[in-house]
Amino acid sequence: MKVRLLLAGLALACAVPVLHAQTSEEKGLEIAREADRRGAGFGDFQADMRMVLITQRGDTSERELRVSTLEGTGEEGDKSLTIFDTPRDVRGTALLTYSYKTGDDDQWLYLPALRRVKTIASRNKSGPFMGSEFSFEDMRGQEVEKYTYKYLRDEPCGELTCSVMERYPTDENSGYTKQVAWIDQQEYRTWKVDYYDRKESRLKTLTMSDFAQYQEKFWQPGKMAMVNHQTGKATDLFWSNYRYDTGLSEADFNQNSLKRAR
């Protein structure tokens, strides 16, 4: 009897399929997809931004901007328009960005002093955006498909627990070899990102804070602080006055809208 029971148990064990263990790459991609899913469906939004440039000595200068974003559909990513209002010497400067899930994004910068639109080439996207510690690449859409991923570990981040993962840009023209991101497991908000340059040295750290929820779904930071470890410079972005469902359309995001920016 005992022999028959043992044989029956072995047969049952052999019949049960072996579950595939999730790899660190699969888990990293799963986290990225969930974070993207939770931020989807906003349609459009507008917000105000105050940019504070901080020198190595601690001197500061400020700029005021407006940002408009239209959510993409299908293979298209989001479209965004960033307009400078102050100071006077950069008033009317505007950046238009078309993000795509795959392939190169498109960016155009309107310079009112020259009355011309400048195309930002992919090979130049690692350059600084208007003298800040944010690059043109940082101002582009962070589409899930633009990276491969690797989950590293879980660790406390304040009162929350964050998943820490690496993401590697698939674009050969990227200014980064990798980014390390801290994403909380409760709402899938990104709290911190370390950026590594082409020499694989830590270049910058972005820290996000003062999150608030809009429309009972979308979490947005009130502050984004970018520190350049190699130059000692920093840039703080203070966000305010988020507005959703403002009626934006494709017509608000073309090169003519750049020249109309006021």
Side-chain angles (χ1 to χ4, degrees), residues 27-164:
K27 186 170 183 178
L29 178 59
E30 179 182 76
I31 294 168
R33 284 175 171 168
E34 178 62 17
D36 183 67
R37 185 191 70 79
R38 294 198 181 202
F42 63 86
D44 71 77
F45 79 84
Q46 299 184 64
D48 298 331
M49 182 203 296
R50 180 166 59 93
M51 175 186 286
V52 181
L53 308 180
I54 307 169
T55 68
Q56 188 176 21
R57 297 191 308 172
D59 299 328
T60 63
S61 58
E62 297 189 9
R63 297 168 175 179
E64 294 182 354
L65 308 86
R66 289 170 286 140
V67 179
S68 301
T69 300
L70 181 68
E71 187 172 22
T73 58
E75 287 303 308
E76 291 188 355
D78 300 340
K79 293 180 172 65
S80 66
L81 179 63
T82 302
I83 303 170
F84 285 79
D85 289 327
T86 66
R88 182 177 299 178
D89 60 341
V90 296
R91 178 178 173 82
T93 300
L95 176 69
L96 176 64
T97 299
Y98 285 9
S99 298
Y100 305 102
K101 295 185 182 298
T102 58
D104 291 338
D105 298 331
D106 291 321
Q107 282 183 306
W108 300 272
L109 182 68
Y110 176 64
L111 302 169
L114 302 177
R115 295 185 180 179
R116 63 183 290 262
V117 175
K118 176 183 177 182
T119 299
I120 307 299
S122 293
R123 63 181 179 274
N124 296 329
K125 64 184 176 184
S126 61
F129 171 60
M130 296 296 291
S132 74
E133 297 312 306
F134 289 83
S135 68
F136 282 96
E137 181 174 359
D138 299 332
M139 305 299 291
R140 299 184 179 202
Q142 305 297 306
E143 307 294 340
V144 172
E145 294 82 359
K146 293 292 183 69
Y147 301 89
T148 57
Y149 302 87
K150 182 180 180 180
Y151 164 80
L152 299 179
R153 62 187 181 275
D154 292 342
E155 68 178 37
C157 50
E159 298 179 352
L160 302 171
T161 299
C162 280
S163 297
V164 185

Side-chain angles (χ1 to χ4, degrees), residues 8-22:
L10 289 173
L12 179 61
C14 292
V16 175
V18 178
L19 296 177
H20 170 68
Q22 189 178 41

